[in-house]
Amino acid sequence: MPEPGREIMDRVGALIDETGCERTQLLEVLHRVQAEFQHIPRAAAEAIEQRMNVPVADTYGLVTFYDLLTEHPVGRSVLRICEDVPCCLHGSDQMAEEAAKRLGPEGEPSADGGVSWTRCACLGLCDKAPAALWREQPLAPLKVHDIEGIGDSHA
Amino acid sequence: MTAMHEAVLLRRRGAKAGDLKSYIGSGGLAALKKARAIGPEETVRILTDSGLVGRGGAAFPAGRKWESVRTAKDPIRYVVLNTDESEPGTFKDRVMIESDPFMVLEGLLIACYAVSATRAYIYVRGEYRHVAELLAKSLRELQQAGHLEAVGPNGAALEVEIRRGGGAYICGEETALFRSIEGYRGEPMAKPPFPTVAGLFRKPTVVNNVETLANVPDIIAFGAKALRSRGTERSPGTKLFSVSGSVDRPDTYEVPFGTRLSDLLELAGGGKDLQAVLMGGAAGTFVFPKDFDLSLSYEGVAERHTTLGSGAVIAFDRETNLWQVAERLGRFFAHESCGQCVPCRVGTRRQHEMLQALAEGHGRGDERGLLTRLSQVMTDASICGLGQTAATAVRSLLEAESAGLLAN
Ligand SMILES: Cc1cc2nc3c(=O)[nH]c(=O)nc-3n(C[C@H](O)[C@H](O)[C@H](O)COP(=O)(O)O)c2cc1C
Ligand code: SF4
Ligand code: FES
C-alpha cells in the first residue's frame, strides 16, 4: 500500500498537469489542493516543489497570506460570515455567536469533517446584510435558521 | 423627489441580463465593430476626449493610461480587468457584471484592441465564484460566436484568462494584483515604475476597474459627447454607488455626477434621521448631515474634504455608536495589511487596539492624541494606499467628535 504522503503527491501532480507547472499557476494549484484536501498538506507543498520548482517555504508564504487557503484542515463545506461594517450593523456578530453555538469553534471542522465556519472580511454582498458564503455561494441575508439547518445536517 | 436614478450602465439590469442575443439586439458589440473600423489611435483619442476617469478609486484618466500602453515600445502588453472588489461597503462591480456582463467584456475587448494587448487577464476575487462563473460563461459565448477573432495583435484571436484571487483585499491594489497573478504573495511594489511602463510580468499593462470598462462601449459607439451629456464639466457621466447600512433599500444606484448626496440617500430610502455616512468605504471619511447637500462629483467631494473612493456609501442612524464602527474598520485594516512595511503592519494593529478600547469605553485617556499622531505616521510612511488611508476615517471621526457632531 502506498504511504498517504505519496498518494497526495500523486494527486497534486495530476492537478499540476491540468493547470501547467509555471509559477503563475501556483495560486490556482493551491485553490485546487485546498478544495480537495480542505487544507494544504505538507506533501502537497513537496509535490509543488518537485513539479513547479517552488520552495516549500514559498508555498506556505502564500498559504499564510491568502485567507481562502489554510494550513490546517477546515470542513468540506465552509460557512463564511462577514464581519465588516454594513453586516455588523445588521447583526453579523449575533450570527457568529449562533454559529459558534451550533457549529463549534471557529475554523474547526465538525466531527464528520463536513462543515466549519469562519468570520471573514466584506463579501461584496452588503446590500443583503448580514451576508455569508456557504459552499462558495452567497447565502444572504443569513438567518439563524440557516445556521440551525447546517448544524442539524452535521450533528 | 429631485434625484434622478439614471440607468445608463445598468440599463439592461433585469430579466434579460446576460443574454448575448438581446445584448446584440440592443446595440451591443457595435462599439467593438466601430473601434476596429477606426483603428486603435482614434479609439484612444475618443476615450481621452470623453474625459472618462477610472472608477477604481484613484480617478486616473482612462485615455491617458491606454495611450501610454498603446505607444509603448515593448510589443508584449497586457490588459487587466480588476474585479477584486473588496472595499467594505462596495458591491457595485458585482451588480454591474450581474446586470450586463457583455458590456463589461465589450469594454475589455475594446481596451485590448486599442492597446494591441497580447493577452487579457480578469482577476476576480476568490469569494466572487458566482461572478467568475458568469464571466466565464459570457466569455465562452462571445468566443464561440467569433467575437474574440482579430481582437488580438496582428489580427490574432484574443486570449483571455480568468484568474481567481485568494481572499486578500490588498490584491485589488494594482501592483499587488500583478504579484498575485504571477504566483506570489500579493505585496504591493513601490511606484514608479507605473504599470503602464512595467506592470504584469514587468510588461506595459492597462489595469482598469469593472465600471471604468463598462463605460467604454457607449463612449466609442456614440462619441465623447455621449459621456459629457451627463454629469458635470469636470466629472462627466454617471456613477455607480453602493448604498448600504441604515437605509430601507440598500442597493447599487446609478446617478449622474453632481447629484446631491441627500438625493442619493433618499433614493435608497434613508436620509431623514441619519447620524452620518461613511463615504468611499473603509478608506473613506465620515460625512455628517451638515454636508449631505454635497455634490457627488470629484470636485464636489474635494470641496468638503471627503472622497468618492470606490463609490461606497454606508449610512448610520442615530443609535449607531460610531466608535464601534471605527473599531470594525480598524479590525479590517489590521487584518488586511500585507505586513510588508512597518508603519502599516504595526500601525494598523496599534490603531485597532486603541479603537477597541474606545469602542468598549475603557480607554486610558490618551488614545485620541496617539491615534492622531499614528495616523500621520501611517499616511506619510506607508508604501501603498492601504497604509496611507487606513487612518483616514478615524481622523475624520476625531474631528467630528471635537466639533460635537456625534449622536452618542
Ligand atoms: C488597497 C487598495 C485596494 C484596491 N482595490 C481595488 C479594487 O478592488 N478594484 C479596483 O478596481 N481598484 C482597486 N484599487 C485601485 C487599483 O490600484 C487601480 O488604481 C485601479 O484598478 C485602476 O483602475 P481604474 O483606473 O479603472 O480606476 C485599490 C487600490 C488600493 C490602494
Ligand atoms: S502600506 Fe500596508 S498593505 Fe501597503 S505595502 Fe505597506 S504593509 Fe503592505
Ligand atoms: S460588509 Fe458584509 S458583505 Fe460587505
Side-chain angles (χ1 to χ4, degrees):
Chain A
M1 224 177 86
E3 48 185 315
R6 188 72 252 158
E7 256 173 62
I8 294 174
M9 288 180 80
D10 290 346
R11 182 63 199 127
V12 173
L15 292 176
I16 296 170
D17 287 338
E18 288 167 24
T19 59
C21 58
E22 303 82 30
R23 174 88 194 215
T24 170
Q25 297 298 342
L26 182 55
L27 183 51
E28 179 59 30
V29 169
L30 292 174
H31 269 304
R32 292 178 190 208
V33 173
Q34 178 78 32
E36 209 158 307
F37 300 102
Q38 291 77 52
H39 73 303
I40 311 299
R42 172 86 198 185
E46 284 166 11
I48 288 168
E49 181 166 88
Q50 285 177 15
R51 293 287 312 279
M52 301 180 79
N53 202 20
V54 171
V56 168
D58 267 31
T59 289
Y60 281 104
L62 265 73
V63 175
T64 51
F65 184 85
Y66 293 108
D67 281 356
L68 297 177
L69 307 174
T70 59
E71 271 180 280
H72 301 290
V74 295
R76 281 187 297 279
S77 301
V78 177
L79 177 69
R80 296 179 196 283
I81 303 178
C82 167
E83 64 172 353
D84 277 322
V85 171
C87 288
C88 187
L89 293 175
H90 287 95
S92 60
D93 286 357
Q94 289 90 300
M95 292 297 152
E97 274 170 34
E98 201 64 35
K101 210 160 73 197
R102 309 219 174 234
L103 309 176
E106 181 175 3
E108 280 182 30
S110 53
D112 65 351
V115 60
S116 66
W117 75 278
T118 179
R119 292 183 178 84
C120 67
C122 175
L123 293 166
L125 298 165
C126 336
D127 48 344
K128 304 182 187 85
L133 283 187
W134 169 240
R135 297 180 169 150
E136 301 183 61
Q137 296 297 327
L139 179 58
L142 178 66
K143 301 205 173 64
V144 171
H145 90 251
D146 296 322
I147 300 173
E148 282 170 4
I150 291 169
D152 289 347
S153 56
H154 293 277
Chain B
M1 189 155 72
T2 49
M4 44 305 207
H5 180 55
E6 241 200 295
V8 180
L9 298 177
L10 294 181
R11 63 181 177 269
R12 295 189 185 88
R13 190 177 189 181
K16 292 236 163 157
D19 180 74
L20 182 55
K21 261 208 199 97
S22 68
Y23 182 70
I24 295 173
S26 60
L29 294 179
L32 177 61
K33 194 169 164 203
K34 179 172 169 193
R36 288 162 55 176
I38 61 179
E41 193 174 345
E42 180 65 8
T43 300
V44 177
R45 199 187 56 74
I46 296 174
L47 189 68
T48 306
D49 288 351
S50 77
L52 178 69
V53 303
R55 306 291 198 235
F60 191 84
R64 258 184 35 219
K65 213 181 251 189
W66 289 25
E67 182 65 6
S68 19
V69 175
R70 186 186 76 79
T71 54
K73 287 211 180 64
D74 201 317
I76 313 260
R77 303 98 187 262
Y78 300 109
V79 174
V80 178
L81 173 61
N82 188 343
T83 317
D84 197 53
E85 190 164 67
S86 310
E87 182 74 41
T90 309
F91 45 88
K92 49 110 185 160
D93 292 341
R94 167 180 61 80
V95 169
M96 181 68 237
I97 291 167
E98 287 171 349
S99 306
D100 205 345
F102 292 113
M103 182 140 72
V104 177
L105 290 173
E106 185 178 3
L108 176 66
L109 299 190
I110 294 170
C112 290
Y113 171 76
V115 305
S116 308
T118 5
R119 182 177 289 175
Y121 288 86
I122 305 180
Y123 187 87
V124 188
R125 65 175 298 192
E127 296 86 346
Y128 271 5
R129 186 166 197 129
H130 49 298
V131 176
E133 282 165 0
L134 176 59
L135 284 169
K137 170 179 166 283
S138 308
L139 194 61
R140 228 169 16 246
E141 289 178 34
L142 284 173
Q143 185 189 18
Q144 282 164 359
H147 298 294
L148 305 194
E149 297 301 322
V151 177
N154 307 316
L158 182 72
E159 287 178 43
V160 186
E161 264 190 51
I162 299 182
R163 292 299 188 95
R164 45 177 163 161
Y169 162 71
I170 191 59
C171 290
E173 195 280 335
E174 51 202 12
T175 61
L177 191 160
F178 302 150
R179 297 302 284 163
S180 185
I181 291 181
E182 290 163 7
Y184 295 83
R185 291 162 66 98
E187 290 169 348
M189 293 177 285
K191 290 181 271 193
F194 292 99
T196 48
V197 175
L200 183 60
F201 303 112
R202 302 263 115 193
K203 297 295 178 187
T205 303
V206 167
V207 197
N208 275 135
N209 173 258
V210 169
E211 184 186 348
T212 311
L213 288 185
N215 269 287
V216 167
D218 280 357
I219 294 171
I220 301 306
F222 308 121
K225 283 205 194 86
L227 193 75
R228 293 194 177 277
S229 69
R230 296 185 183 84
T232 69
E233 170 73 29
R234 286 169 56 204
S235 308
T238 63
K239 177 81 193 80
L240 302 180
F241 288 96
S242 315
V243 187
S244 67
S246 311
V247 293
D248 292 340
R249 292 182 296 278
D251 201 350
T252 297
Y253 292 91
E254 180 175 14
V255 294
F257 278 108
T259 300
R260 287 187 195 290
L261 173 59
S262 51
D263 290 336
L264 174 66
L265 291 169
E266 200 176 313
L267 269 179
K272 270 177 285 306
D273 216 24
L274 291 180
Q275 176 182 186
V277 304
L278 181 60
M279 291 285 298
T285 72
F286 288 96
V287 169
F288 292 82
K290 68 177 175 60
D291 285 314
F292 281 3
D293 63 334
L294 69 77
S295 149
L296 295 167
S297 59
Y298 295 107
E299 63 278 16
V301 292
E303 216 170 78
R304 305 290 176 99
H305 309 288
T306 182
T307 173
L308 294 179
S310 57
V313 176
I314 310 175
F316 307 102
D317 60 24
R318 303 189 60 82
E319 275 68 63
T320 310
N321 179 333
L322 295 184
W323 284 109
Q324 284 170 3
V325 170
E327 181 278 325
R328 221 28 87 97
L329 302 176
R331 183 190 295 198
F332 174 78
F333 284 115
H335 181 251
E336 298 300 333
S337 166
C338 85
Q340 199 184 187
C341 52
V342 177
C344 172
R345 181 178 67 233
V346 181
T348 53
R349 282 284 142 81
R350 290 291 293 124
Q351 173 172 269
H352 182 228
E353 287 163 14
M354 289 188 272
L355 290 171
Q356 248 174 333
L358 290 178
E360 289 161 10
H362 56 62
R364 293 188 317 196
D366 59 352
E367 282 83 6
R368 288 171 174 79
L370 284 171
L371 281 170
T372 308
R373 277 169 53 203
L374 184 59
S375 85
Q376 199 59 50
V377 174
M378 283 199 278
T379 309
D380 291 347
S382 298
I383 293 183
C384 87
L386 188 150
Q388 288 158 9
T389 59
T392 311
V394 174
R395 204 160 45 204
S396 77
L397 190 57
L398 285 166
E399 284 162 16
E401 189 182 55
S402 313
L405 297 176
L406 305 198
N408 46 49

